[in-house]
Amino acid sequence: MNLEHYIGGAHVPSVSGATFDALEPASNETYLTVAAGGPEDIAAAVAAARKAFTDGPWPRMTGEQRATVLRRIAAAIESRDDRIAALECRDTGLPITQARGQAHRAAHNFRFFADVITTLGEDVYRVASAQLNYVLRKPVGVAGLITPWNTPFMLETWKLAPALAAGCPVVLKPAEWSPASAGLLPEIMEEAGLPAGVFNLVHGIGEEAGAALVEHPDVPVISFTGETGTGQVIMRTAAANLKTLSMELGGKSPLIVFDDADLDRALDAAVFGVFSLNGERCTASSRVLVQDTVYESFVARLAERASRVRVGSPDDPATELGALVHPEHYERVMDYVRIGVEEGARLVAGGSRPADLPVGNFLSATVFADVTPNMRIFQEEIFGPVVCVTPFSTEAEALELANATRYGLAAYLWTNDLRRTHRLAQSVEAGMLWVNSQNVRDLRTPFGGVKASGLGREGGRHSIDVYTESHIVHLATEDMPIPRFGAA
Ligand code: NAD
């Protein structure tokens, strides 16, 4: 199977003819050859998108007209949900049951933003009867979308849907470790009747295709999801053209358990929060902070549950934890397991490849206890099925530990003390906090992080803000006083 770029409504190879191989994480065998885009391919895609912006119908349609197409895109995704889930499962190593959920969420993203764009108003500021100030929301231009390999199809659509809803033609650069499901987008867009040139797709390596997209002067906005380090490189490059940036970056999110919480549910949430999606999840609850009064018993139960998480072939419906995306990433995660042991953390579950899975990127659900804030495994994003557990005694100590990393994406709090909940909710350094809940998304709410976890928010109208300019018109409806400089 070969994957090409999709530019101006046509499937095309790279101008240079270059390709790269995609590996199947369960076997590490090559199963896909993909066009490797460079600056020339990005230039062609941006030119097609720019033409769609300046001359095409898409930016000029009403929100309702665009919403009709977005709803057809959602239907086209749903009619392929088994295929999308199977591709995603093979390409990323996600368990098939979890890959299915991602295809549903992708369709929902388009339906949701169809609703947002048809219900979103534009503001008017009236100054008595003398002046009317009204805001026009205008699509900002060609949007550059750069996405990571974890839950790729869902995250690509999380950016595509609002960008298209806002009227922006797009150039999407999917992650090179998970290109397969994006390969279905051209036929989906065509079936839905999206005008040619509005959706463009360039595959390729980040430092080549991704960097060229960020550098291109005709792309005024970049929405990026990926590692913090990559985000920093992109910000530096984007400064040359003063681009609008939306940055969804890494995380090391705490899950704080007080002894008055429903400990059974907190345990379920802790296990699911870090081992679902193979632990390759930006909002993973990868640091579990537990009050000392219940610490030992919680650690023992967490270890016992982790040891029973079913690791297996991604396409087996019984599998809970599949294969990590790529051998390089697998080595990185395994290095962290070694580092944790060397740093003196107590390995209480997992830490190695399951004996019955000799090939592929498999790691048992791994739990480190007695992790201290000075350890690298406490501070650094591992992005795999590895959780660190740390005890605390007081609320103040819990807060200090929760805030003791450079990240600030999500946090999870388990307590039944109402006043404590509100105190912590206001002082935890995180863009998002879930209280007595697992990570359930409401697409209207602002999604994003603080500190090294990102800049800006996406979700609901916040996403539309990324892809539109607010253009204010000041209109005098009566004669306003005008100082008469130079008058006789
Ligand atoms: P990554 O930063 O390596 O790559 C992300 C994308 O950027 C890929 O498409 C890659 O090709 C591209 N890229 C790489 N270098 C580039 C450059 N110099 N210029 C332009 N583009 C470049 O990230 P990843 O390893 O694919 O994804 C995992 C990371 O994503 C984790 O840190 C995770 O926390 C983060 N993430 C964050 C969120 C969120 O919403 N905050 C969601 C999912 C993943």
Side-chain angles (χ1 to χ4, degrees), residues 146-151 155 173-177 204-207 209-212 214 224-228 230-231 233-234 247-251 281-283 381 383 409 447-448 453:
I146 303 178
T147 49
W149 47 259
N150 67 316
T151 61
L155 285 175
K173 208 302 280 173
E176 54 268 44
W177 285 353
I205 307 303
E207 291 77 0
V214 177
F224 169 76
T225 299
E227 280 182 21
T228 298
T230 314
V233 171
I234 289 177
M247 293 273 152
E248 304 283 351
L249 309 176
R281 179 175 190 159
C282 55
T283 50
E381 185 182 39
F383 219 57
L409 189 56
F447 182 95
S453 289

Side-chain angles (χ1 to χ4, degrees), residues 120-179:
L120 201 67
E122 290 164 327
D123 296 333
V124 177
Y125 303 79
R126 196 158 55 87
V127 186
S129 62
Q131 197 184 28
L132 204 56
N133 306 318
Y134 60 91
V135 179
L136 299 175
R137 268 180 191 274
K138 293 181 171 176
V140 67
V142 176
L145 313 178
I146 303 178
T147 49
W149 47 259
N150 67 316
T151 61
F153 197 74
M154 198 285 288
L155 285 175
E156 286 151 15
T157 57
W158 175 242
K159 295 189 188 299
L160 282 168
L164 294 176
C168 294
V170 302
V171 177
L172 169 67
K173 208 302 280 173
E176 54 268 44
W177 285 353
S178 61

Side-chain angles (χ1 to χ4, degrees), residues 75-159:
I77 289 173
E78 273 162 352
S79 71
R80 290 167 178 77
D81 58 355
D82 284 346
R83 217 165 122 213
I84 293 167
L87 271 182
E88 196 92 321
C89 167
R90 183 169 186 199
D91 199 32
T92 66
L94 270 189
I96 184 68
T97 48
Q98 298 171 39
R100 269 198 200 108
Q102 300 307 311
H104 289 299
R105 277 190 62 186
H108 184 51
N109 284 339
F110 281 99
R111 285 228 166 78
F112 172 77
F113 280 105
D115 291 343
V116 170
I117 204 65
T118 47
T119 51
L120 201 67
E122 290 164 327
D123 296 333
V124 177
Y125 303 79
R126 196 158 55 87
V127 186
S129 62
Q131 197 184 28
L132 204 56
N133 306 318
Y134 60 91
V135 179
L136 299 175
R137 268 180 191 274
K138 293 181 171 176
V140 67
V142 176
L145 313 178
I146 303 178
T147 49
W149 47 259
N150 67 316
T151 61
F153 197 74
M154 198 285 288
L155 285 175
E156 286 151 15
T157 57
W158 175 242
K159 295 189 188 299

Side-chain angles (χ1 to χ4, degrees), residues 340-353:
V341 171
E342 281 163 21
E343 287 179 317
R346 180 160 55 108
L347 182 65
V348 292
S352 56
R353 169 190 290 282

Side-chain angles (χ1 to χ4, degrees), residues 122 199 238 349 355 475 479:
E122 290 164 327
F199 168 74
L475 175 81
D479 284 348

Side-chain angles (χ1 to χ4, degrees), residues 237-450:
T237 310
N241 287 302
L242 282 176
K243 298 189 181 211
T244 298
L245 294 175
S246 176
M247 293 273 152
E248 304 283 351
L249 309 176
K252 190 76 181 178
S253 302
L255 182 145
I256 311 166
V257 184
F258 283 89
D259 61 7
D260 67 338
D262 181 333
L263 296 176
D264 293 339
R265 287 180 58 74
L267 180 67
D268 286 344
V271 172
F272 182 77
V274 75
F275 299 127
S276 57
L277 305 177
N278 294 344
E280 297 164 327
R281 179 175 190 159
C282 55
T283 50
S285 49
S286 51
R287 292 184 297 137
V288 174
L289 313 177
V290 187
Q291 197 154 26
D292 49 9
T293 40
V294 292
Y295 178 75
E296 281 306 336
S297 62
F298 199 88
V299 166
R301 290 175 73 197
L302 183 56
E304 194 261 340
R305 282 285 289 280
S307 67
R308 288 201 277 125
V309 168
R310 286 183 287 274
V311 188
S313 177
D315 61 3
D316 180 347
T319 294
E320 293 172 321
L321 176 53
L324 303 193
V325 69
H326 193 273
E328 256 176 54
H329 181 60
Y330 183 69
E331 277 315 312
R332 203 176 150 264
V333 173
M334 294 305 276
D335 272 348
Y336 275 112
V337 174
R338 281 187 281 278
I339 290 166
V341 171
E342 281 163 21
E343 287 179 317
R346 180 160 55 108
L347 182 65
V348 292
S352 56
R353 169 190 290 282
D356 59 334
L357 294 164
V359 293
N361 310 318
F362 294 98
L363 169 63
S364 300
T366 299
V367 183
F368 279 109
D370 307 345
V371 178
T372 52
N374 58 323
M375 294 182 185
R376 283 183 61 192
I377 58 167
F378 184 98
Q379 293 293 341
E380 297 173 20
E381 185 182 39
I382 299 175
F383 219 57
V386 180
V387 64
C388 299
V389 197
T390 305
F392 68 85
S393 57
T394 62
E395 180 182 319
E397 200 186 339
L399 180 65
E400 197 182 322
L401 285 168
N403 292 345
T405 75
R406 67 181 186 134
Y407 293 108
L409 189 56
Y412 306 86
L413 174 61
W414 286 84
T415 178
N416 279 318
D417 181 329
L418 187 63
R419 291 168 49 149
R420 171 157 64 206
T421 299
H422 288 292
R423 278 195 301 271
L424 284 174
Q426 289 172 42
S427 34
V428 164
E429 292 168 355
M432 301 169 282
L433 173 71
W434 279 267
V435 181
N436 296 333
S437 169
Q438 63 126 331
N439 179 334
V440 180
R441 286 292 316 286
D442 173 341
L443 300 190
R444 296 168 302 175
T445 60
F447 182 95
V450 298

